[in-house]
Amino acid sequence: MKAFKDLIADLYPMLPYCVWWLINLCSDSWHILVCGFKFLKYRHYKRFIEYTVGSMLLLTLRYPAQFILTQASLLLNALASLMNNFIPSALERSLNEQELAYLKPIFGDNLKYDAIKIQTGGVKEKLKIAPQAVGNDIFLREHWGAPVFSADRTLTSLGLRILGHEACHNWQFQQRGAGYIGDSLLTQVFDVIGRRIGMRLSDGYDLYAAIAARRDYRDCNVEQQAVMAEMIGITFADLRSEEFGCEVFNRASGFNLGAAEFELVEDAHAKLTGMQKI
């Protein structure tokens, strides 16, 4: 009975996501048409055709891909969780005190910590799936280049760093629903394709590209947002006698930001903690 209830809970985000997806599709389509008709107003017919057709073509490619990837990920996660009920090595638990202490400086009270579940072992471990966050579930591998868990089953420094990254995806889910899943996968796919053909189709995980472009946190892709949370997390973990600031951020992250660039980090932190609205 519990397995069935958990399955329903895992599948439920598919429904509100459909509504969110349709609203955003209509909103973006309307925005393209409004901008396109501005060209007509000034009789820029060629620009109107180029902009409208090009934008609509990208829209018709992006939105179906995002929909399929998001719904498929939610469905597969739900099925994996269902199967894990019958696999002894599969474990699921709430955040422990160590993990809460690590995450709260990043997100403050702006994350529903009680809703988050940490998953290990089971189907995803056997399939060697990368650490991921689907909805409020975070899957952590036993080993990801180095041990993720210590002998006492607490997280290593690497495990905490991964947790900070994946918890940002939980935050995105709680803020805006499941759409981040498709956006994340598309970001990664375009990044890989771009590298192979020698073109920059996506910034991927490159947070420095967003900072160098002075990009507001809301305009960063979902993986850049997660890397920002990850960097803020390791900065707080590295605090000694200092307060959170540019110098310690650079030391912990390996970046070399100036004061103006660090303002983007502070703005992002304010949004993550809810001190500023997204």
Side-chain angles (χ1 to χ4, degrees), residues 30-264:
W30 177 252
H31 177 74
I32 290 170
L33 290 175
V34 169
C35 291
F37 277 114
K38 289 181 180 179
F39 292 119
L40 283 183
K41 181 180 178 181
Y42 297 102
R43 299 182 180 180
H44 296 157
Y45 302 116
K46 183 179 179 181
R47 291 289 304 279
F48 168 74
I49 294 172
E50 289 175 346
Y51 172 81
T52 306
V53 173
S55 298
M56 282 298 187
L57 180 60
L58 289 174
L59 197 73
T60 56
L61 291 173
R62 177 189 164 210
Y63 269 88
Q66 185 202 55
F67 185 86
I68 292 169
L69 290 170
T70 299
Q71 298 290 49
S73 295
L74 289 168
L75 177 60
L76 291 173
N77 182 66
L79 293 176
S81 296
L82 178 64
M83 294 170 65
N84 283 345
N85 285 280
F86 308 100
I87 300 177
S89 65
L91 299 174
E92 183 177 272
R93 60 169 177 79
S94 301
L95 295 168
N96 61 32
E97 291 183 6
Q98 176 209 28
E99 294 153 359
L100 287 169
Y102 185 84
L103 293 176
K104 284 188 175 181
I106 308 173
F107 302 99
D109 296 325
N110 202 31
L111 184 65
K112 297 176 183 175
Y113 300 100
D114 291 345
I116 297 173
K117 300 297 181 185
I118 302 294
Q119 301 173 334
T120 57
V123 174
K124 292 181 181 179
E125 184 72 36
K126 292 181 183 298
L127 294 175
K128 298 183 178 181
I129 289 175
Q132 59 175 221
V134 179
N136 284 314
D137 296 336
I138 295 178
F139 168 70
L140 297 175
R141 289 278 298 276
E142 293 291 329
H143 194 278
W144 189 246
V148 173
F149 292 91
S150 302
D152 62 358
R153 300 304 295 168
T154 59
L155 292 180
T156 62
S157 58
L158 171 62
L160 290 170
R161 179 170 179 165
I162 295 172
L163 177 69
H165 182 104
E166 300 303 337
C168 185
H169 292 317
N170 298 145
W171 176 84
Q172 291 163 345
F173 172 71
Q174 293 175 12
Q175 293 285 322
R176 301 187 294 271
Y180 79 91
I181 299 173
D183 285 342
S184 172
L185 293 171
L186 287 173
T187 293
Q188 295 175 59
V189 167
F190 284 126
D191 185 38
V192 171
I193 294 173
R195 290 175 187 275
R196 291 188 176 180
I197 65 176
M199 294 179 63
R200 195 175 184 90
L201 301 178
S202 165
D203 286 337
Y205 292 80
D206 188 355
L207 174 61
Y208 195 80
I211 293 176
R214 299 292 197 275
R215 198 172 298 154
D216 186 86
Y217 190 64
R218 67 171 63 86
D219 297 323
C220 295
N221 70 47
V222 294
E223 290 301 341
Q224 289 172 325
Q225 290 183 357
V227 173
M228 178 70 84
E230 177 186 336
M231 294 298 106
I232 291 172
I234 64 174
T235 301
F236 274 105
D238 194 47
L239 287 181
R240 297 162 192 172
S241 59
E242 321 101 317
E243 294 183 356
F244 180 76
C246 186
E247 184 177 342
V248 66
F249 181 85
N250 286 337
R251 183 181 72 215
S253 67
F255 286 10
N256 186 26
L257 305 186
E261 293 171 316
F262 184 69
E263 288 179 4
L264 297 171

